[in-house]
Amino acid sequence: MKKRNIFFLGFLLIFALMLVGCGSKDNTTKESNGDSNAKEEIAATTKKVQTINGEIEIPTKVERLVVDAYLPTSLLLGVKPVGATQRDLENVHIQNQIGGIASIGENSVEAILALKPDLILTASGEPEDYEKFSKIAPTIVIPYETYRSVEEEVAGLAEIFGKQAEGEAWLKMFEEKVNEHKERLASVMDENETVSIFGAFGKDFYLYGDGIYRGGQAIYKKLQLQAPERIKKELIDAGETYKQVSYEVLPEYAGDYIFLDESKGAELNKKDSLWLSIDAMKNNNVFYLAPDRFWPYDPIAVLAQVEEVANMLIEKKTSEK
C-alpha cells in the first residue's frame, strides 16, 4: 500500500510538471506572438514618401517637427512644430498661433539638434543643408515655388502629415471666404478694369505675376482681377512670377490700379514726370503694400491678402461715388 501511494504521488508530480511545461510553452507562444504584433505596430508608425532626394521614411504621426518656410501651413493642418526659423516666426499673419515654438534662427544646426526633431521640413535646396539636416532627422526638401497655389501646398503637406481631412476642411473654408470677397468686388469693379503689381527694390524695378511674390496669388489667382495685356502675356501666361524692368518702361505695364511695393530702401519719386504721366497715379489709384503683410505667400497670408486687397479697392470705389 505504501509503495502504491508513493507511485501515485510520483505520478501526480510528473503530471504537475507536464502542466507547468505546457503553461510555459503557451506563455512563450503568447510572448512570441506579442513580440510579432509589437513589431508590426512599430512598422505601422512609419511610412515612406517620395522626395527630390529619393524615398524617405518618416513618422506617420509627426510629433517633433522643425520647419523652414512651411510654418503657417503646418499650423493650419493641426501640426504644431517644436521649432521654426526666426523669419517664419515673425510672420504677422500667425502671431496668435506660435506660442511655445522655439526659434532655430536661420537654420542653426545646434538649435535644431537641441529640439530632437522626428522630421525636418525645409525649402532649402542646397545639398549641404540637406546633408546637415538629414543627419539629425528624416528631412523633406520642398524648394521654393514647388507649390504654385494655395491648394497645391495645403494638399501636398496634408499628404505628408496624414492630415487630408484637415486639409480639405481648411480649403473649403478658404474657398468660401475667397468667393465672398470676389462677390464684394464684383459689385463695384468693372470687369474690364486692370490691376498691376509693381515693385521698387533697392535700385531695381520689378513687375509681378500671379505667383508667390507681393500678393500675386491673392490679386490674380484668387480675386481673379485682370492684368494689363503685357503683364498677362509676359508673366502670367509665360509662367513667370516676376520680371525685372527699367524704370522707363513701367507706364507700358500700368493698369487702371497699381499695387506698389517699396522695399530695401527704395522709394519712387512721386513727383517724377514719368510717374505722374501714369493714369493710375493721376487718378490716385495707387495702393502701397506693407511688406510685412504682402511678402509672405503661405495660405494663411494669401487669405489675409485677399481680404485686404478687396477692402482697398472697395473703399476706393465707394469714395468715388
Side-chain angles (χ1 to χ4, degrees):
M1 180 65 71
K2 204 177 212 180
K3 287 183 179 178
R4 284 183 187 175
N5 287 341
I6 292 170
F7 175 81
F8 183 71
L9 288 172
F11 176 79
L12 286 177
L13 180 60
I14 292 168
F15 184 73
L17 289 171
M18 286 175 65
L19 285 176
V20 171
C22 289
S24 281
K25 189 174 180 182
D26 274 353
N27 287 340
T28 304
T29 304
K30 284 175 185 174
E31 285 170 12
S32 175
N33 287 340
D35 287 344
S36 176
N37 290 337
K39 286 175 184 175
E40 286 175 11
E41 202 172 308
I42 291 169
T45 63
T46 64
K47 65 179 181 180
K48 292 181 179 178
V49 295
Q50 194 62 41
T51 76
I52 63 170
N53 294 297
E55 197 173 60
I56 294 174
E57 191 168 17
I58 69 168
T60 52
K61 185 179 179 182
V62 179
E63 295 182 343
R64 298 194 63 79
L65 174 69
V66 167
V67 293
D68 161 24
Y70 295 101
L71 174 57
T73 313
S74 302
L75 289 170
L76 71 86
L77 289 169
V79 181
K80 189 169 186 176
V82 294
T85 60
Q86 185 59 35
R87 181 182 62 254
D88 283 346
L89 289 169
E90 290 170 359
N91 185 328
V92 297
H93 302 291
I94 57 170
Q95 289 305 296
N96 63 338
Q97 301 180 59
I98 61 172
I101 302 175
S103 172
I104 57 169
E106 289 307 310
N107 286 325
S108 160
V109 171
E110 292 77 13
I112 296 172
L113 265 171
L115 292 171
K116 299 179 181 177
D118 56 11
L119 181 67
I120 298 172
L121 188 60
T122 177
S124 174
E126 298 297 327
E128 57 267 30
D129 284 340
Y130 176 73
E131 187 177 349
K132 287 186 296 188
F133 298 154
S134 60
K135 288 177 181 176
I136 301 172
T139 300
I140 297 178
V141 177
I142 306 175
Y144 293 106
E145 295 195 81
T146 294
Y147 301 126
R148 303 293 293 229
S149 70
V150 165
E151 290 79 5
E152 283 186 14
E153 181 164 328
V154 172
L157 292 194
E159 180 71 25
I160 289 170
F161 296 141
K163 295 281 187 177
Q164 290 88 339
E166 290 84 348
E168 288 170 8
W170 194 91
L171 286 174
K172 182 181 178 184
M173 176 277 295
F174 175 80
E175 184 180 7
E176 288 171 355
K177 287 188 176 294
V178 168
N179 286 336
E180 283 177 23
H181 294 302
K182 280 169 64 178
E183 288 173 13
R184 291 173 63 219
L185 269 181
S187 67
V188 298
M189 290 282 289
D190 186 302
E191 62 180 15
N192 295 317
E193 289 181 302
T194 57
V195 173
S196 302
I197 311 173
F198 288 174
F201 186 79
K203 296 181 180 180
D204 300 320
F205 300 94
Y206 292 87
L207 309 169
Y208 297 102
D210 62 356
I212 67 174
Y213 299 104
R214 313 307 187 263
Q217 287 191 69
I219 291 169
Y220 294 129
K221 279 186 177 172
K222 302 309 168 193
L223 291 172
Q224 296 183 341
L225 294 167
Q226 297 302 308
E229 190 56 38
R230 287 195 68 174
I231 289 180
K232 184 176 183 300
K233 181 180 178 181
E234 295 177 26
L235 282 92
I236 296 174
D237 291 347
E240 298 292 337
T241 51
Y242 70 92
K243 179 178 181 178
Q244 186 175 349
V245 295
S246 64
Y247 174 69
E248 290 72 25
V249 304
L250 285 178
E252 299 173 24
Y253 295 90
D256 298 305
Y257 298 86
I258 294 172
F259 287 89
L260 176 64
D261 171 74
E262 295 176 310
S263 303
K264 204 181 178 182
E267 188 175 352
L268 286 175
N269 181 358
K270 311 305 187 295
K271 296 180 180 179
D272 180 73
S273 58
L274 183 140
W275 186 243
L276 289 171
S277 71
I278 296 174
D279 286 341
M281 185 63 183
K282 292 178 186 176
N283 299 325
N284 196 29
N285 286 343
V286 177
F287 303 97
Y288 297 90
L289 302 177
D292 63 340
R293 301 196 67 78
F294 281 86
W295 275 44
Y297 52 85
D298 60 85
I300 293 175
V302 171
L303 182 56
Q305 291 160 9
V306 162
E307 182 175 3
E308 289 184 48
V309 168
N311 288 344
M312 288 181 199
L313 288 168
I314 290 169
E315 186 178 341
K316 172 61 180 172
K317 283 290 191 179
T318 304
S319 68
E320 292 173 351
K321 292 182 180 179

